[in-house]
Amino acid sequence: MADIYSMVIGGQNVAAAQTFEVRNPSSGEIVGLAPEASSADLDHAVAAANEAFSSWSRHSDAALQAACEAVTAKLGEHAEELAELVTKEQGKPLNGLGSRWELGGAGAWAGYTSALSLPMKTLQDNNEGTVELHRKPLGVVGSITPWNFPVMIAIWHIMPALRTGNTVVIKPSPFTPLSTIRLVEIMNEVLPAGVVNCVTGSDGGASIGAAMSAHPDIRKIVFTGSCATGEKVMRSAAETMKRLTLEMGGNDAGIVLPDVDPAQIAEGLFWGGFINNGQTCAAMKRLYVHADVYDAVCDALVAFAKSIPMGDGMAEGSILGPVQNRMQFDKVKRLVDAGKSEGRVLLGGEPGDGLFFPATIIADLDNDNPLVAEEQFGPALPIIKFSDVDDAIAQANASENGLGGSVWSKDIDRAKEIALRMECGSVWINKHGAIQPNAPFGGVKKSGIGVAFGEEGLQEYTDVQVVFS
Ligand code: NAD
């Protein structure tokens, strides 16, 4: 019998009238049955969060910090249990940059965010009067998360909301709802009832997610997911003038200059593109390599990629796992086929068993090939040759996305000059995708609105109130 999970509302486990199956992408086995929330269940969760807000928002700053620290400690105690659940429902291996690493990141973000604060700022204090800037919590925050890093992204949404005195209703992806339900249960061991609630639904998340975006008693939506869904959220949030943080898709470019040592950068290039099997918002999804080092970089990258074992996530030896779901697998296959029709396959290219798709590297592509132009969000990296750096920058910028980018060179000053010309929210030199809790992270152009992390990320969960006296 599969485990039956329930919603978490007002500090209680609440069973839903119906459930849906959550399957392990490595084996196809059922991991558990998730609750199918109705719109009445959502209303119930929002009402519980609203009720909790009246006292939670009046906690002192020190009390909010202490509560967030207690949540961080609980997360640490349950890290291995949550990592195993993430591996079972998401597919990523326990090891490498897999679920244990994800839980480590979640703990680091939780701890760092607990220690942040937004004290009152005195803008003026003179004989003409005093002007104070206060940061006030918004109310109920609705969090909508994707399936690629279910626990870490939930922590990115929940912790800054709690730290600033808001309450939360979270709705995880229907592909990975169980670890979020368990995370919220664990949080409820140390939080007052109703401060964090969890509802789940199966229909691609469309009905519950859409209902959250339109809900009159939700004051902010923090959304991480695809651009298409983010646009829908923004449209329906307009009617209630919700605050929004939208962290959406990317098609990050990496630019390799002619002065690199190919063997030295191969590992960084590989993990830049293939972290979490490429199912990472800020993974490197297009690689532009200067003609002088093109063949050597391709060879070094392929040699490194061949050394990475892929297999069932629960096997301790696996470093890469399956693609998370059939829809994503079919998308990766379509884009790889498009790449194969015009490019040269250096590695992989043929689907494996079940949802396994081997690491695939395809060279000699142009900017308009679909594998280059679209976000693949999977284990396939296209390589494009360039001989003029200005052309490479122009091609990198010829995208409606602008999440991350990278420049690879021994000349750090030159790399920084190029970095500043790239249209994206984060740029890395000689690495790709390395985010950290003290650095604001967000996208430009269609990759999103607002930032997460650090003080700037915390501010997004507040309204400004200015007091003149
Ligand atoms: P998705 O847009 O399909 O789903 C994201 C969430 O939205 C899920 O919880 C889903 O149930 C919900 N949803 C679906 N329809 C909805 C609707 N009409 N209204 C409201 N919510 C709805 O995305 P996904 O496939 O789960 O995730 C992959 C995408 O997420 C990629 O494009 C990736 O780049 C992006 N992503 C971005 C970041 C970032 O920080 N920028 C991080 C991780 C993933």
Side-chain angles (χ1 to χ4, degrees):
M1 245 321 254
D3 290 339
I4 301 176
Y5 288 70
S6 38
M7 299 173 285
V8 186
I9 300 179
Q12 305 290 319
N13 281 108
V14 177
Q18 291 182 329
T19 57
F20 61 95
E21 292 173 351
V22 178
R23 288 184 180 269
N24 181 333
S26 288
S27 63
E29 285 163 12
I30 295 176
V31 184
L33 299 176
E36 186 78 83
S38 65
S39 60
D41 292 325
L42 173 65
D43 288 345
H44 182 190
V46 174
N50 233 336
E51 194 183 325
F53 179 73
S54 55
S55 58
W56 182 252
S57 58
R58 286 203 297 270
H59 278 42
S60 69
D61 195 60
L64 291 174
Q65 179 171 349
C68 288
E69 283 166 356
V71 167
T72 305
K74 273 279 162 198
L75 184 63
E77 282 167 32
H78 290 270
E80 182 63 17
E81 174 202 345
L82 287 167
E84 287 184 14
L85 193 49
V86 167
T87 288
K88 284 180 187 156
E89 67 175 353
Q90 206 283 338
K92 67 179 68 181
L94 292 167
N95 291 319
L97 300 173
S99 61
R100 288 178 179 141
W101 180 83
E102 175 171 346
L103 263 293
W109 256 270
Y112 185 84
T113 309
S114 301
L116 286 173
S117 68
L118 297 173
M120 183 273 287
K121 265 192 199 164
T122 303
L123 304 180
Q124 177 184 310
D125 184 11
N126 58 22
N127 53 11
E128 283 171 19
T130 304
V131 182
E132 294 174 354
L133 186 153
H134 296 257
R135 292 262 168 197
K136 302 180 72 177
L138 302 167
V140 179
V141 170
S143 152
I144 302 176
T145 53
W147 47 259
N148 57 346
F149 289 94
V151 169
M152 190 152 70
I153 293 177
I155 288 291
W156 292 350
H157 289 187
I158 293 171
M159 293 307 287
L162 298 189
R163 183 62 188 86
T164 43
N166 301 279
T167 56
V168 176
V169 175
I170 185 167
K171 191 213 77 66
S173 164
F175 294 112
T176 54
L178 305 180
S179 54
T180 306
I181 292 173
R182 190 66 196 117
L183 174 71
V184 172
E185 285 175 354
I186 290 163
M187 289 181 164
N188 270 273
E189 291 175 16
V190 290
L191 290 172
V195 169
V196 183
N197 308 273
C198 181
V199 291
T200 62
S202 68
D203 59 346
S207 59
I208 294 293
M212 286 171 74
S213 315
H215 204 291
D217 295 329
I218 292 181
R219 291 299 314 129
K220 173 191 172 85
I221 294 284
V222 50
F223 168 85
T224 303
S226 64
C227 294
T229 309
E231 284 174 25
K232 288 184 195 160
V233 169
M234 189 168 185
R235 235 174 267 130
S236 69
E239 285 192 19
T240 45
M241 203 49 75
K242 285 184 178 54
R243 277 58 184 140
L244 288 175
T245 302
L246 303 177
E247 301 285 349
M248 287 138 70
N251 195 6
D252 292 11
I255 299 179
V256 178
L257 301 188
D259 67 350
V260 297
D261 173 347
Q264 208 179 10
I265 63 168
E267 181 172 357
L269 286 178
F270 179 80
W271 286 117
F274 289 87
I275 177 173
N276 204 28
N277 233 355
Q279 301 167 125
T280 304
C281 52
M284 191 169 65
K285 292 170 181 148
R286 306 175 275 158
L287 181 59
Y288 297 84
V289 182
H290 192 275
D292 289 358
V293 285
Y294 187 78
D295 291 337
V297 168
C298 288
D299 290 348
L301 184 54
V302 168
F304 184 83
K306 282 182 175 166
S307 71
I308 303 300
M310 179 177 277
D312 188 311
M314 290 301 282
E316 294 282 346
S318 300
I319 299 295
L320 288 178
V323 173
Q324 206 282 327
N325 58 72
R326 177 59 58 185
M327 192 181 61
Q328 195 59 39
F329 184 94
D330 291 345
K331 181 175 186 188
V332 171
K333 182 171 182 319
R334 172 176 68 79
L335 292 175
V336 165
D337 285 346
K340 279 158 68 175
S341 70
E342 291 178 332
R344 184 164 51 98
V345 179
L346 302 182
L347 187 70
E350 289 300 325
D353 294 335
L355 291 175
F356 286 93
F357 204 107
T360 293
I361 299 175
I362 302 184
D364 304 348
L365 288 171
D366 291 330
N367 234 32
D368 55 2
N369 184 276
L371 182 58
V372 180
E374 293 180 37
E375 183 190 32
Q376 66 276 49
F377 212 64
L381 184 66
I383 308 184
I384 306 102
K385 190 189 282 189
F386 72 87
S387 44
D388 179 84
V389 175
D390 288 339
D391 280 351
I393 298 169
Q395 291 193 83
N397 287 340
S399 165
E400 58 182 21
N401 291 120
L403 194 56
S406 58
V407 185
W408 303 72
S409 170
K410 286 184 183 149
D411 182 344
I412 304 299
D413 290 337
R414 172 84 178 117
K416 277 190 192 163
E417 276 171 33
I418 293 169
L420 288 168
R421 292 173 60 194
M422 292 178 77
E423 296 167 359
C424 48
S426 305
V427 196
W428 295 275
I429 313 283
N430 294 326
K431 54 190 169 186
H432 195 114
I435 51 175
Q436 51 191 64
N438 59 348
F441 174 74
V444 302
K445 300 199 274 188
K446 277 198 161 183
S447 287
I449 285 190
V451 293
F453 316 156
E455 204 175 297
E456 290 81 357
L458 206 60
Q459 287 172 0
E460 302 236 342
Y461 292 82
T462 63
D463 274 335
V464 165
Q465 186 177 52
V466 179
V467 179
F468 301 81
S469 61

